[in-house]
Amino acid sequence: GNSVTQMEGPVTLSEEAFLTINCTYTATGYPSLFWYVQYPGEGLQLLLKATKADDKGSNKGFEATYRKETTSFHLEKGSVQVSDSAVYFCALSERLGSARQLTFGSGTQLTVLP
Amino acid sequence: KAGVTQTPRYLIKTRGQQVTLSCSPISGHRSVSWYQQTPGQGLQFLFEYFSETQRNKGNFPGRFSGRQFSNSRSEMNVSTLELGDSALYLCASSLTGQDYEQYFGPGTRLTVT
């Protein structure tokens, strides 16, 4: 079956540091890939997505590139802010019959210190 | 446009009881999915409904069930609660369920004692 593996947390960075959160996946077909973010006490928000190989998703300074050859979708940001502190989830989506189903990684807690 | 709403936000139940959680999707969205989030198992897919029909189901026991109404609102029910059912239950809506983007509600925090 499908699975997503992302780097263990927690990750603690100083403000303006460079961020990388690794994510690799296993899928039987050609999934779409996502990064979701969860702030304390809230549900998940879609951060960015890529629907085919070599696509780059980007939003709010975050980027991730769909690498089929390495089955990876690593999240990067050049300069993190305190407000980026949250839990980040990598996920994949494949069509199952007439619907899509999300499979999530275990999440990475990010804390950014001022 | 209002987001996905879930009620109640917090719930405390005793082992053996049953519970019903509610989810109202974004207006116009016809697909509703439910997920269970726990520290040990992470986010796991429960089931997905579209036009009052369950289309997909995750690997959960029959104690977990759901339904969807004609206005797309959805409920999930857990019977004979166990301690391990303590979790954050998230619902997500999308236009058709085939969309790439799903919009999540804030979740219902269920504690079983």
Side-chain angles (χ1 to χ4, degrees):
Chain A
N2 297 337
S3 67
V4 176
T5 303
Q6 59 181 105
M7 71 187 268
E8 294 286 328
V11 173
T12 302
L13 296 173
S14 298
E15 203 165 26
E16 299 184 2
F18 184 84
L19 168 71
T20 300
I21 301 177
N22 290 337
C23 171
T24 58
Y25 68 90
T26 302
T28 51
Y30 301 94
S32 299
L33 302 174
F34 305 83
W35 278 99
Y36 280 84
V37 58
Q38 185 176 34
Y39 297 100
E42 298 184 14
L44 276 69
Q45 298 176 26
L46 178 62
L47 181 59
L48 54 83
K49 69 177 187 287
T51 59
K52 61 183 187 298
D54 299 325
D55 267 3
K56 177 187 280 189
S58 62
N59 185 26
K60 299 181 182 179
F62 291 91
E63 292 183 339
T65 301
Y66 188 165
R67 302 283 188 203
K68 188 169 180 291
E69 63 277 12
T70 54
T71 62
S72 65
F73 192 56
H74 305 321
L75 182 68
E76 296 182 336
K77 186 175 186 184
S79 176
V80 294
Q81 306 300 311
V82 172
S83 57
D84 294 327
S85 297
V87 181
Y88 291 81
F89 293 91
C90 184
L92 68 81
S93 164
E94 271 198 304
R95 181 171 287 190
L96 287 178
S98 52
R100 288 186 171 274
Q101 179 178 315
L102 284 166
T103 300
F104 288 91
S106 57
T108 301
Q109 171 79 55
L110 170 66
T111 301
V112 180
L113 302 176
Chain B
K1 190 185 270 192
V4 178
T5 57
Q6 292 186 246
T7 56
R9 291 293 310 277
Y10 302 91
L11 207 48
I12 300 175
K13 289 287 188 179
T14 305
R15 268 181 304 177
Q17 288 186 316
Q18 75 166 18
V19 67
T20 300
L21 312 182
S22 180
C23 171
S24 293
I26 290 172
S27 177
H29 285 193
R30 295 169 62 192
S31 168
V32 174
S33 297
W34 289 89
Y35 295 84
Q36 182 196 63
Q37 186 178 20
T38 60
Q41 299 297 317
L43 278 152
Q44 294 184 286
F45 172 76
L46 279 156
F47 26 66
E48 187 256 356
Y49 285 88
F50 179 80
S51 290
E52 302 178 65
T53 301
Q54 184 182 90
R55 293 196 297 191
N56 283 316
K57 190 177 193 306
N59 189 25
F60 278 82
R63 300 185 296 107
F64 291 82
S65 63
R67 59 178 176 168
Q68 186 181 35
F69 301 94
S70 58
N71 62 358
S72 295
R73 189 177 69 86
S74 177
E75 290 181 345
M76 67 162 281
N77 184 276
V78 188
S79 62
T80 320
L81 284 166
E82 300 177 0
L83 293 179
D85 297 333
S86 295
L88 180 67
Y89 290 88
L90 293 165
C91 121
S93 77
S94 67
L95 280 167
T96 66
Q98 297 180 25
D99 320 86
Y100 293 115
E101 299 192 21
Q102 293 191 24
Y103 297 84
F104 282 80
T108 294
R109 172 74 63 186
L110 171 65
T111 302
V112 182
T113 62

